[in-house]
Amino acid sequence: DFFHALDDVQAAFGVSEEDLERCVEKGVLNYSKNIGDILTRGRLYVEQVRDSPNTSIVSTLLYGPPGSGKTALAATIALKSEFPLVKLISPRDTVAMNETQKIQYINNMFLDAYKSALNCIVLDEIETLIEWTPIGPRFSNAVAQTIKILLSKAPPPNRRLLIIATTSERSVLNQIGLLSKFTSKIPVPNVTTINELSKSLELVDFLDNESRQSICDKVQAQNGGRVGVGIKHILSHIDTAVKSSTVAGTFAELVNEEISDFSY
Amino acid sequence: DFFHALDDVQAAFGVSEEDLERCVEKGVLNYSKNIGDILTRGRLYVEQVRDSPNTSIVSTLLYGPPGSGKTALAATIALKSEFPLVKLISPRDTVAMNETQKIQYINNMFLDAYKSALNCIVLDEIETLIEWTPIGPRFSNAVAQTIKILLSKAPPPNRRLLIIATTSERSVLNQIGLLSKFTSKIPVPNVTTINELSKSLELVDFLDNESRQSICDKVQAQNGGRVGVGIKHILSHIDTAVKSSTVAGTFAELVNEEISDFSY
Amino acid sequence: DFFHALDDVQAAFGVSEEDLERCVEKGVLNYSKNIGDILTRGRLYVEQVRDSPNTSIVSTLLYGPPGSGKTALAATIALKSEFPLVKLISPRDTVAMNETQKIQYINNMFLDAYKSALNCIVLDEIETLIEWTPIGPRFSNAVAQTIKILLSKAPPPNRRLLIIATTSERSVLNQIGLLSKFTSKIPVPNVTTINELSKSLELVDFLDNESRQSICDKVQAQNGGRVGVGIKHILSHIDTAVKSSTVAGTFAELVNEEISDFSY
Amino acid sequence: DFFHALDDVQAAFGVSEEDLERCVEKGVLNYSKNIGDILTRGRLYVEQVRDSPNTSIVSTLLYGPPGSGKTALAATIALKSEFPLVKLISPRDTVAMNETQKIQYINNMFLDAYKSALNCIVLDEIETLIEWTPIGPRFSNAVAQTIKILLSKAPPPNRRLLIIATTSERSVLNQIGLLSKFTSKIPVPNVTTINELSKSLELVDFLDNESRQSICDKVQAQNGGRVGVGIKHILSHIDTAVKSSTVAGTFAELVNEEISDFSY
Amino acid sequence: DFFHALDDVQAAFGVSEEDLERCVEKGVLNYSKNIGDILTRGRLYVEQVRDSPNTSIVSTLLYGPPGSGKTALAATIALKSEFPLVKLISPRDTVAMNETQKIQYINNMFLDAYKSALNCIVLDEIETLIEWTPIGPRFSNAVAQTIKILLSKAPPPNRRLLIIATTSERSVLNQIGLLSKFTSKIPVPNVTTINELSKSLELVDFLDNESRQSICDKVQAQNGGRVGVGIKHILSHIDTAVKSSTVAGTFAELVNEEISDFSY
Amino acid sequence: DFFHALDDVQAAFGVSEEDLERCVEKGVLNYSKNIGDILTRGRLYVEQVRDSPNTSIVSTLLYGPPGSGKTALAATIALKSEFPLVKLISPRDTVAMNETQKIQYINNMFLDAYKSALNCIVLDEIETLIEWTPIGPRFSNAVAQTIKILLSKAPPPNRRLLIIATTSERSVLNQIGLLSKFTSKIPVPNVTTINELSKSLELVDFLDNESRQSICDKVQAQNGGRVGVGIKHILSHIDTAVKSSTVAGTFAELVNEEISDFSY
Ligand SMILES: Nc1ncnc2c1ncn2[C@@H]1O[C@H](COP(=O)(O)OP(=O)(O)OP(=O)(O)O)[C@@H](O)[C@H]1O
Ligand SMILES: Nc1ncnc2c1ncn2[C@@H]1O[C@H](COP(=O)(O)OP(=O)(O)OP(=O)(O)O)[C@@H](O)[C@H]1O
Ligand SMILES: Nc1ncnc2c1ncn2[C@@H]1O[C@H](COP(=O)(O)OP(=O)(O)OP(=O)(O)O)[C@@H](O)[C@H]1O
Ligand SMILES: Nc1ncnc2c1ncn2[C@@H]1O[C@H](COP(=O)(O)OP(=O)(O)OP(=O)(O)O)[C@@H](O)[C@H]1O
Ligand SMILES: Nc1ncnc2c1ncn2[C@@H]1O[C@H](COP(=O)(O)OP(=O)(O)OP(=O)(O)O)[C@@H](O)[C@H]1O
Ligand SMILES: Nc1ncnc2c1ncn2[C@@H]1O[C@H](COP(=O)(O)OP(=O)(O)OP(=O)(O)O)[C@@H](O)[C@H]1O
Ligand SMILES: [Mg+2]
Ligand SMILES: [Mg+2]
Ligand SMILES: [Mg+2]
Ligand SMILES: [Mg+2]
Ligand SMILES: [Mg+2]
Ligand SMILES: [Mg+2]
């Protein structure tokens, strides 16, 4: 227990760079103009925190459907900032914590950040950090209030902080009063058009031109021009399909299945 | 208490193979094409976790009505994987635990799994693990959130994990936000047609041809072509009926009784 | 407190035969064909648990209106099983326990039962064990879930268990998801017809033929052919009426009063 | 605190006769035939518990509007029983106890009673013991369930128990499922007619004939024949009115005020 | 903490006369016939508790809108009683106490009172003592039940107790079942007419005749004959207005502002 | 932990002047007549608390939309009072405190204030101090009740207290019953007209005349005459825009974006 506890501390206060790198292991594919725009917006806030004489805290929220790439994009912006301290606060590290521990954990991450001159905190999946569930609805108001206060609490003099948060439940954050606390909100859309789908398959060298065309035809046949699948799921379906004898067919099926699953 | 506690630890972290074998003591009858399809799908995910360079975690959910055979099928897939570590997380082992203990228990099972290179966890009856009841409704959100996070938390580098979960409350999992966390969902139907009923009776050598025909006639007379009884209950009714003087008649009665019980 | 605690342990884990005998102190009157049928059904499950090679756990639920004789019938079946271990789990023994203690108590009763080869547990008044009240509604979900799991948790290898439960709130058990966990459900009706009323009075030698006739006439005059009073209350009204100067008249009055109390 | 605690124990387990006597300090006025009937009914249950070979527990509930005299009548029946042990369980003695303490207190009173052969317990103001409030509604389900079980828990062999309970919230007890646990329920009405009012004033020698007539005339003028005031409040208004210069007038006013207070 | 605790005890059990005197620091202005009537009613109950052979406890509730003078009037009646022990139970002394501490505090005040022969307790702002808020609604049922019991719990033999309570939430007390526990209820109205307003200004020598007339004209112009402002607020507005250059105008404005604030 | 605790104490009971100064780091721009009026009203209450013989406590509430400048104005009034003790109670200092700690913290701030003759407390963002969220709704009633009592609890003799509170949830405070406890309420509006917008840009020397005109034209084009943006957000948008190549255009865009965000 003692050694376990020490590990915990390490996990909590050590450098999170490695963790952030794992979030973008599969890279960031440039399958749409959006991707570049989002990264540019991110870079702008990085500059502002680094240079502006009047700004000591900036917070930005990446919101979008499940699997659209929010975490990978947030991690990319944070890693590219080259700030001396970049940290990841993720539900994966608060599993099995009770409410009090979670609040302490989050608060300590911020207290820790206040010690360095230039900081970046990635606050991943806020809706899961507050244990949101639509039944009830239930969530930890105490964790939500902690995040709410930390989002607008200026760091001590001569300290600057950039917060990059993600959520797939924008409307929940709005209802709880968290949304208005962000300096800015950036949408992260799904792979939306057949063209974007085709582009992303090409970028990962999935099959040949013809096969990709046949996939796009099948998806278009079922759904018309609109795709609406997260890049994360597309990459996962590829991994599954390659085990099948009819790779292209299986991939198209899995994508079509997912799209129809969501629409009923 | 001390020795009892040691037993507990054993139960929690030892090899669960024996437990899983008990789940299929009555075998898996091939009474319908579905059975084979489900096992094939299962095998596919086993392969993917074993081989794919990009996949470190796959989760699949077997869902279906009470007694349809979900637990037996999940156990079968897990046992056939021949992964070095297969584990069962079942409400039966968390009885009388409080919320905190349950969360620790589940989390420890996963932490334990992360230590081995290739793992399979059977997560049985999620709706009971979270103490779901429709009155209120009430359930343990803390347990639900723990499962939600663990379903998408990648194991440490060089570790791979297959999660096979079961539930008879798919819509509940959907409402709680657990459903979308699974890589895939596989339906497990009841014994649905008279043919399937007849086939399953034949496969366990229950009575002679004529008696089985008379049973099928009686069930058809009441219900038309649709049966809708779980294989688990069919096997249980056989056990009860053999104690009666009119075995075939009693069996048909018990099956008919159960079908009408469900439909009013 | 120490000695008190020892008594408790005794009460919890000792042989409950005596307790069960007290439940049928006033005997089981054969006032209707139902009574025999219920006992026969009970005997069938006793045989099945004792002999069937495939069955390790059977659970049956006696349900019916207050005072209809559920507890006495459950106790009778249990006592007649002549299983080496018969136990009673009753709200009367869990009075003033908190939720945790109640769960431990119930779980220990089952753990204890798993130690013997052939067991019978009477689980009396489930709705009271879970502290059900329609206002709210409120009940202990933790106790309900414990019972739910124990009802379908197979005992260890070479152990067999028969559970006979009672309730006067069948629909509550259904809503909570407990009902479907029982192997079978047996209704226990009230004394329903004038004939059954007359028969039960005769069986306890209450007054002479003529007086009984006059009683039945009075009850019929108010209620027509339907009676709807529990055998427990009939026996209690007899005890009260014998203290009165007009025994038959008072008894008829008490019965009529009770019937009209229930119908408004 | 130590001495205080000793006092508490004394209060809890000593003889409550003195407490019960204080409940009838102002006597029981025979202002209506009801009074006699209630006491006769009470005596009947006393006899039954003392003599009947089959009865080990009888419970009766006195219910009626606030101030109708329930507590005084329950105390009278208990004191007249001349049982060796008569006890009062009243909210006044559980003030400032928490839920657990209250449950222990009530349960101990019953455990104590089980030690003597012949017992009578007065359970006063059940709705207050369970902390009932219509807002919510809120009440202690744990206390309510404790009382529910104790009402039907037979004492050990060779022990007999009479429980006389009171409430001004019959419908609440019905909703909570307590009402059906009583062997019998006895209504305690208010002073209802002008005649009963007149009779009660006469019985306490309040003023002369003429003044009483003038009072009755004034009450009748406002309310017609129906009065509907508790005997407790009538006696209290007399105490207030005697301090006034116009005794009869003030008394009539106070009674009229109270009646109209209740009817809007 | 130790010394702080001692102070607390002092505050709790010492003589509260000084506290009560602070409640009427600004005196009791005789701006309306009501004031005299209320004090007379109060005096009547004081006499009754002091003299009546049958009365050991009387409770009266002063209710009215915020600032109408309830606390000052209750304190005045208590101080004029010249009872050896007069005590104030006020939310101001229970700030930052938790529920259990609040219950102990209130109960101890009463236990303390029972030690002296003749007592008067002022129970101020019951709605705040029970932490009432209309959202939910929420309140401490445990504190409310404690007060409910203490209001009708007769002190020990040879002890007498007068309770003077105040509230601005009569209907809440009614819903919670507290209202009917009071022996009597006395309304405390606002300054209601222009005449009463004028009288009260005159009684504190605020400005000259002409200025007061101009104020009354302005208030009448906006509101017609009805004022509806508490005497407490009138005195407070005077204090504010005297700092202004246009004293009369500012005062009229503040009063008008408050009246319109309440009516929208 | 020990040293950390000491820091806490320091933070809690030390002089808050520095904290208050940070609240107005960007100054108070005189962009509208309102600003002066608010400061004048504030000064009036400062005088009253300092001089009036009858006043020992005054409380005023600054309410208005997010970012309208409430905290800066409250801090300005407090700092200008030149009272020997000025203190800030802000959610930023209660982050990660539990309910009990928060209550103790707030109460101690007031207890501390009572020790000095002349005090000013700034109570910032009451809705956040009570952890208000519209879902449920949920909030800490215990903290709310503490604030409610402290707002009307007169300090000890010879002590005077001015409370300046802020909120962006006036209607919540009204529902909870806090609003009526304030001596006065002062609205703090947004930058509302194009003129005020233009004035505020000019006062911070943002760009040249022409550019400002072009900004105002763009804002007017989208929104007509009404602006409705907080001064805090205007200053923040300036900081962001200066990093852009098209400063004026970006600024107008950000302002327009925010206005439309709020109106849908
Ligand atoms: N353009 C892209 N943007 C984002 N991620 C990309 C892109 N191209 C490839 N990826 C890969 O896709 C995956 C996106 O997964 P990620 O976890 O970031 O999605 P998410 O929206 O956070 O999902 P969730 O809603 O489950 O939290 C990552 O593995 C990332 O490396
Ligand atoms: N084709 C089959 N599929 C599944 N189980 C089968 C099959 N054939 C026979 N069985 C037997 O039927 C029983 C199925 O019970 P199982 O507990 O798996 O059902 P379940 O759906 O998990 O029930 P529950 O809803 O109660 O959890 C097992 O004993 C299993 O050995
Ligand atoms: N045929 C019968 N069936 C059941 N009980 C009988 C029968 N004949 C006589 N009795 C007696 O009637 C009483 C039935 O009471 P019992 O407590 O079993 O009823 P219950 O339905 O469990 O009541 P409750 O709803 O209050 O739990 C027992 O004393 C039993 O001895
Ligand atoms: N006929 C009577 N019945 C009951 N009480 C009577 C009668 N005549 C006089 N009394 C006196 O009237 C008072 C009745 O008060 P009691 O407390 O019993 O009423 P209650 O119905 O219990 O009131 P509450 O509803 O407040 O509990 C007692 O003081 C009792 O001595
Ligand atoms: N006739 C009067 N009645 C009551 N108070 C008066 C009267 N004349 C002057 N006062 C003064 O007016 C003030 C009344 O304030 P008090 O606190 O008693 O009102 P309240 O109704 O209790 O207010 P709240 O609703 O806030 O509790 C006191 O300072 C009191 O001295
Ligand atoms: N006239 C003004 N009034 C108020 N603040 C001004 C004014 N002019 C400039 N400022 C600056 O604008 C900012 C106002 O921010 P402040 O935190 O006070 O707003 P707020 O209304 O309290 O915001 P929130 O709703 O987020 O609490 C401060 O930095 C302050 O220095
Ligand atoms: Mg993510
Ligand atoms: Mg299963
Ligand atoms: Mg029973
Ligand atoms: Mg009573
Ligand atoms: Mg007051
Ligand atoms: Mg602010």
Side-chain angles (χ1 to χ4, degrees), chain E residues 99-135:
Chain E
E99 196 175 58
T100 307
Q101 292 171 323
K102 220 177 261 193
I103 290 171
Q104 292 302 340
Y105 177 82
I106 295 173
N107 193 31
N108 283 340
M109 290 295 250
F110 275 80
L111 286 178
D112 212 48
Y114 298 153
K115 291 179 192 155
S116 162
L118 218 51
N119 289 283
C120 178
I121 290 178
V122 173
L123 198 61
D124 201 28
E125 283 187 55
I126 291 185
E127 76 277 10
T128 308
L129 282 173
I130 65 171
E131 307 208 343
W132 169 263
T133 190
I135 304 187

Coordinates of all heavy atoms in Angstrom, one line a residue, chain E residues 99-135:
Chain E
E99 N -26.5 20.0 12.6 CA -27.8 19.7 13.0 C -27.8 19.1 14.4 O -28.6 19.5 15.3 CB -28.4 18.6 12.0 CG -29.9 18.4 12.2 CD -30.4 17.5 11.1 OE1 -30.0 16.3 11.0 OE2 -31.3 17.9 10.3
T100 N -26.9 18.2 14.7 CA -26.9 17.6 16.0 C -26.6 18.6 17.1 O -27.2 18.7 18.2 CB -25.8 16.5 16.1 OG1 -26.0 15.6 15.0 CG2 -25.8 15.8 17.4
Q101 N -25.6 19.5 16.8 CA -25.3 20.6 17.8 C -26.5 21.5 18.1 O -26.8 21.9 19.2 CB -24.1 21.4 17.3 CG -22.8 20.6 17.3 CD -21.7 21.4 16.6 OE1 -22.0 22.1 15.6 NE2 -20.5 21.2 17.1
K102 N -27.2 21.8 17.0 CA -28.4 22.7 17.1 C -29.5 22.0 18.0 O -30.1 22.7 18.9 CB -28.9 23.0 15.7 CG -29.4 24.4 15.5 CD -29.8 24.6 14.1 CE -28.7 25.2 13.3 NZ -29.3 25.8 12.0
I103 N -29.7 20.7 17.8 CA -30.7 20.0 18.6 C -30.3 20.0 20.0 O -31.1 20.2 20.9 CB -30.9 18.6 18.0 CG1 -31.6 18.7 16.6 CG2 -31.7 17.7 18.9 CD1 -31.6 17.4 15.9
Q104 N -29.0 19.7 20.3 CA -28.5 19.6 21.6 C -28.7 21.0 22.3 O -29.1 21.1 23.4 CB -27.0 19.2 21.7 CG -26.7 17.8 21.3 CD -27.5 16.8 22.2 OE1 -27.9 17.1 23.3 NE2 -27.7 15.6 21.7
Y105 N -28.3 22.0 21.5 CA -28.4 23.4 22.1 C -29.8 23.7 22.5 O -30.0 24.2 23.6 CB -27.9 24.4 21.0 CG -28.0 25.8 21.4 CD1 -27.0 26.4 22.2 CD2 -29.0 26.6 21.0 CE1 -27.0 27.8 22.5 CE2 -29.1 28.0 21.3 CZ -28.1 28.5 22.1 OH -28.2 29.8 22.5
I106 N -30.7 23.5 21.6 CA -32.1 23.8 21.9 C -32.7 23.0 23.0 O -33.3 23.5 24.0 CB -33.0 23.6 20.6 CG1 -32.6 24.6 19.5 CG2 -34.5 23.8 21.0 CD1 -33.3 24.4 18.2
N107 N -32.4 21.7 23.0 CA -32.8 20.8 24.1 C -32.2 21.2 25.4 O -32.9 21.2 26.4 CB -32.5 19.4 23.7 CG -33.2 18.4 24.6 OD1 -34.3 18.6 25.0 ND2 -32.6 17.2 24.9
N108 N -30.9 21.6 25.4 CA -30.3 22.0 26.7 C -30.9 23.2 27.2 O -31.1 23.4 28.4 CB -28.8 22.2 26.4 CG -28.1 20.9 26.4 OD1 -28.6 19.8 26.8 ND2 -26.9 20.9 25.8
M109 N -31.3 24.2 26.4 CA -32.0 25.4 26.8 C -33.2 25.0 27.6 O -33.6 25.6 28.6 CB -32.3 26.3 25.6 CG -31.1 26.9 25.0 SD -30.2 28.1 26.1 CE -30.6 29.6 25.3
F110 N -34.0 24.1 27.0 CA -35.2 23.7 27.7 C -34.9 22.9 29.0 O -35.6 23.1 30.0 CB -36.1 22.8 26.7 CG -36.9 23.7 25.8 CD1 -36.4 24.3 24.7 CD2 -38.3 23.9 26.1 CE1 -37.2 25.1 23.9 CE2 -39.0 24.7 25.3 CZ -38.5 25.3 24.2
L111 N -34.0 21.9 28.9 CA -33.6 21.1 30.1 C -33.2 22.1 31.2 O -33.6 21.9 32.4 CB -32.5 20.2 29.8 CG -32.8 19.0 29.0 CD1 -31.6 18.1 28.7 CD2 -33.9 18.1 29.7
D112 N -32.4 23.1 30.9 CA -32.0 24.1 31.8 C -33.2 24.9 32.4 O -33.3 25.1 33.6 CB -31.1 25.1 31.1 CG -30.1 25.7 31.9 OD1 -29.4 24.9 32.6 OD2 -29.9 26.9 31.9
A113 N -34.2 25.2 31.6 CA -35.3 25.9 32.0 C -36.2 25.1 33.0 O -36.7 25.6 33.9 CB -36.2 26.3 30.8
Y114 N -36.2 23.7 32.8 CA -37.0 22.9 33.6 C -36.5 22.9 35.1 O -37.1 22.4 36.0 CB -36.9 21.4 33.1 CG -37.6 21.2 31.7 CD1 -37.1 20.2 30.9 CD2 -38.5 22.1 31.3 CE1 -37.7 20.0 29.7 CE2 -39.1 21.9 30.0 CZ -38.6 20.9 29.2 OH -39.2 20.7 28.0
K115 N -35.2 23.4 35.3 CA -34.7 23.4 36.6 C -35.2 24.5 37.5 O -35.1 24.5 38.7 CB -33.1 23.5 36.6 CG -32.5 22.3 36.0 CD -31.0 22.5 35.9 CE -30.4 21.4 35.0 NZ -29.1 21.8 34.4
S116 N -35.8 25.5 36.9 CA -36.3 26.7 37.7 C -37.8 26.6 37.7 O -38.4 26.0 36.8 CB -35.8 28.0 37.0 OG -36.5 29.1 37.4
A117 N -38.4 27.2 38.7 CA -39.8 27.0 38.9 C -40.6 27.8 37.8 O -41.6 27.3 37.4 CB -40.2 27.5 40.3
L118 N -40.2 29.0 37.4 CA -40.9 29.8 36.6 C -40.0 30.3 35.4 O -39.1 31.0 35.7 CB -41.5 31.0 37.4 CG -42.8 31.6 37.1 CD1 -43.9 30.5 37.1 CD2 -43.2 32.6 38.1
N119 N -40.3 29.9 34.2 CA -39.4 30.2 33.1 C -40.1 30.8 31.9 O -41.3 30.5 31.6 CB -38.9 28.9 32.6 CG -37.9 28.3 33.5 OD1 -36.8 28.7 33.6 ND2 -38.4 27.3 34.3
C120 N -39.3 31.6 31.1 CA -39.8 32.1 29.9 C -38.7 31.9 28.8 O -37.6 32.4 29.0 CB -40.2 33.6 30.0 SG -40.7 34.3 28.5
I121 N -39.1 31.3 27.7 CA -38.1 31.1 26.6 C -38.6 31.8 25.4 O -39.8 31.6 25.0 CB -38.0 29.6 26.3 CG1 -37.2 28.9 27.4 CG2 -37.2 29.4 25.0 CD1 -37.0 27.4 27.2
V122 N -37.8 32.7 24.8 CA -38.1 33.3 23.5 C -37.4 32.5 22.4 O -36.2 32.3 22.4 CB -37.6 34.8 23.4 CG1 -37.9 35.3 22.0 CG2 -38.4 35.6 24.4
L123 N -38.3 31.9 21.5 CA -37.8 31.0 20.4 C -37.9 31.8 19.1 O -38.9 31.9 18.5 CB -38.7 29.8 20.4 CG -38.2 28.5 19.7 CD1 -36.9 28.0 20.4 CD2 -39.3 27.5 19.8
D124 N -36.8 32.5 18.8 CA -36.8 33.5 17.7 C -36.6 32.9 16.3 O -35.7 32.1 16.1 CB -35.8 34.6 18.0 CG -36.1 35.9 17.2 OD1 -37.3 36.1 17.0 OD2 -35.1 36.6 16.9
E125 N -37.4 33.3 15.3 CA -37.3 32.9 13.9 C -37.2 31.4 13.7 O -36.2 30.9 13.2 CB -36.0 33.6 13.3 CG -36.1 35.0 13.0 CD -34.9 35.6 12.3 OE1 -34.6 35.0 11.2 OE2 -34.3 36.6 12.7
I126 N -38.3 30.8 14.1 CA -38.3 29.3 13.9 C -37.9 28.9 12.5 O -37.2 27.9 12.3 CB -39.7 28.7 14.3 CG1 -39.9 28.9 15.8 CG2 -39.8 27.3 14.0 CD1 -41.2 28.3 16.4
E127 N -38.4 29.6 11.5 CA -38.1 29.1 10.1 C -36.6 29.1 9.9 O -36.1 28.3 9.1 CB -38.8 30.0 9.1 CG -38.3 31.4 8.9 CD -38.7 32.4 9.9 OE1 -39.3 32.0 10.9 OE2 -38.5 33.6 9.7
T128 N -35.8 30.0 10.5 CA -34.4 30.0 10.3 C -33.7 29.0 11.2 O -32.7 28.3 10.8 CB -33.8 31.4 10.6 OG1 -34.5 32.4 9.9 CG2 -32.3 31.5 10.2
L129 N -34.2 28.7 12.4 CA -33.7 27.7 13.2 C -33.8 26.3 12.5 O -32.9 25.5 12.6 CB -34.5 27.6 14.5 CG -34.1 28.6 15.6 CD1 -35.1 28.5 16.8 CD2 -32.7 28.5 16.1
I130 N -34.8 26.1 11.7 CA -35.0 24.8 11.0 C -34.3 24.9 9.6 O -34.5 24.0 8.8 CB -36.4 24.3 11.0 CG1 -37.3 25.3 10.1 CG2 -37.0 24.2 12.3 CD1 -38.7 24.7 9.9
E131 N -33.7 26.0 9.3 CA -32.9 26.2 8.0 C -33.9 26.0 6.8 O -33.5 25.5 5.8 CB -31.8 25.2 7.9 CG -30.8 25.2 9.1 CD -29.4 24.8 8.8 OE1 -29.2 24.2 7.7 OE2 -28.5 25.2 9.6
W132 N -35.1 26.5 7.0 CA -36.1 26.5 5.9 C -35.6 27.2 4.6 O -35.1 28.3 4.7 CB -37.4 27.1 6.3 CG -38.3 27.3 5.2 CD1 -38.6 28.4 4.5 CD2 -39.2 26.3 4.7 NE1 -39.5 28.1 3.5 CE2 -39.9 26.8 3.6 CE3 -39.4 24.9 4.9 CZ2 -40.8 26.1 2.8 CZ3 -40.3 24.2 4.2 CH2 -41.0 24.8 3.1
T133 N -35.7 26.6 3.5 CA -35.6 27.3 2.2 C -36.6 26.7 1.3 O -36.8 25.5 1.2 CB -34.2 27.1 1.6 OG1 -34.1 28.0 0.5 CG2 -33.9 25.8 1.1
P134 N -37.3 27.6 0.5 CA -38.4 27.1 -0.3 C -37.9 26.3 -1.5 O -38.7 25.6 -2.1 CB -39.1 28.4 -0.8 CG -38.1 29.5 -0.6 CD -37.2 29.0 0.5
I135 N -36.6 26.3 -1.8 CA -36.1 25.5 -3.0 C -36.0 24.1 -2.5 O -35.2 23.8 -1.6 CB -34.8 26.0 -3.5 CG1 -34.9 27.5 -3.9 CG2 -34.3 25.2 -4.7 CD1 -33.7 28.0 -4.6

